[in-house]
Amino acid sequence: MSDTSREAVFVRDGDLFVPSELGRGPWSPDALHGGAPAALLAGYAEEMVGDPEMLLARLTMELVRPVPLAPLTVTATMGKGRSVRRVELTLSHSETVVARAVALFLKGEDQGIEPRLEGHPLSGPERCHEPFLVPGMKQVTSFHYTAMDIRVAHGQTVGPGPAAAWFRLKYPVVAGETVSPAMSAVAAADFGNGLSWILPIEEFTFVNTDLTVYLNRHPRSEWVALDSRMTVESNGIGLVRSDLYDEQGLIGVAQQNLFVRARNR
């Protein structure tokens, strides 16, 4: 892998997207954090649509299997709607599908509606200094510890319970390419289960099987906040709900289904 690859989460190599260690997730040293492929697919869909008036309003990604830290290919098909356009994407490794996604784009036009502004529930990132640390999560080069600047806004990540934090990508998603506001939002949205954990990571895995992000607008700053809450049933099925904010207010919501298993059973 070239020196450039260590300066971005992915590097384009022809039709391949080659991930670096900056994309590594918490569950396996050989698998990516879900935020890395989610941001990649969001950006790929935006590039395919190629119309700044068409805004990514929803991204649903299903993680068919762990996305490997290995060369990946993206295939996509796009509808032809004028005001509503759908892009269907497939992420594969060596012809094996590892993730599927649907990106829904809506055409933004001024309707003369005054946004209803409510007070921001979180302190701004400049006032938050507690780092993102989860007991039992190894501090190695990774998407969560290296690629992201994360500042806890309320609650805590060293103990269980609801929590909120600000997220800012420190590296490009794809080397040499600009990170769009939608990509920043989607990259942060997959952190809900790590931010608001209620089960000790040493005893349980709580891997999200999917991610759905709804955006009523795109962030207007590089910082995106998540305010997250996890629930888990005794049958090992869980859910994380997250509100997404930029520094001006609410920009959307995200949800993740969780597949929970005890480590020693």
Side-chain angles (χ1 to χ4, degrees):
M1 191 171 288
S2 68
D3 289 341
T4 304
S5 68
R6 290 191 288 271
E7 299 171 4
V9 181
F10 296 95
V11 173
R12 283 189 193 252
D13 184 6
D15 292 333
L16 296 175
F17 290 92
V18 183
S20 73
E21 293 180 345
L22 293 172
R24 177 180 286 130
W27 305 113
S28 166
D30 302 316
L32 298 181
H33 189 286
L40 175 69
L41 294 175
Y44 194 99
E46 287 187 302
E47 182 179 336
M48 192 170 185
V49 171
D51 182 349
E53 293 185 350
M54 298 289 291
L55 300 181
L56 179 64
R58 175 174 64 86
L59 179 79
T60 296
M61 179 181 69
E62 294 185 355
L63 296 163
V64 178
R65 62 188 68 227
V67 180
L69 206 163
L72 303 166
T73 56
V74 179
T75 56
T77 58
M78 181 175 64
K80 297 180 180 181
R82 290 185 177 181
S83 300
V84 180
R85 194 172 304 172
R86 184 185 306 267
V87 180
E88 297 184 2
L89 306 109
T90 300
L91 187 67
S92 303
H93 168 61
S94 297
E95 300 185 355
T96 297
V97 174
V98 295
R100 294 187 179 93
V102 174
L104 183 70
F105 289 79
L106 303 180
K107 189 177 184 65
E109 295 180 347
D110 186 7
Q111 303 298 311
I113 300 170
E114 274 300 317
R116 183 176 178 179
L117 301 177
E118 299 179 358
H120 204 300
L122 304 175
S123 297
E126 75 284 348
R127 298 178 61 187
C128 301
H129 305 287
E130 181 182 337
F132 175 80
L133 295 171
V134 178
M137 190 180 291
K138 294 181 180 179
Q139 294 189 50
V140 297
T141 301
S142 58
F143 195 68
H144 45 289
Y145 280 140
T146 315
M148 279 282 191
D149 185 356
I150 307 176
R151 303 179 185 182
V152 177
H154 79 65
Q156 57 177 340
T157 60
V158 293
W166 290 97
F167 296 80
R168 179 180 67 87
L169 276 163
K170 295 163 62 178
Y171 296 86
V173 174
V174 180
E177 299 182 15
T178 300
V179 177
S180 73
M183 292 169 70
S184 294
V186 168
D190 192 68
F191 276 83
N193 59 327
L195 180 62
S196 173
W197 59 273
I198 59 175
L199 298 169
I201 198 171
E202 302 97 327
E203 299 178 23
F204 294 90
T205 59
F206 34 94
V207 181
N208 59 301
T209 60
D210 57 17
L211 170 69
T212 295
V213 184
Y214 290 93
L215 297 173
N216 53 283
R217 65 173 174 84
H218 291 179
R220 295 172 182 149
S221 63
E222 60 181 354
W223 288 99
V224 175
L226 257 67
D227 192 349
S228 305
R229 181 180 297 271
M230 177 190 290
T231 58
V232 177
E233 297 297 325
S234 59
N235 60 7
I237 298 174
L239 179 68
V240 178
R241 299 179 180 88
S242 302
D243 290 330
L244 278 72
Y245 298 88
D246 67 3
E247 293 179 72
Q248 295 182 8
L250 186 73
I251 63 170
V253 296
Q255 292 197 150
Q256 301 164 290
N257 276 123
L258 301 182
F259 183 71
V260 181
R261 286 296 179 266
R263 289 185 180 272
N264 298 320
R265 291 186 183 178

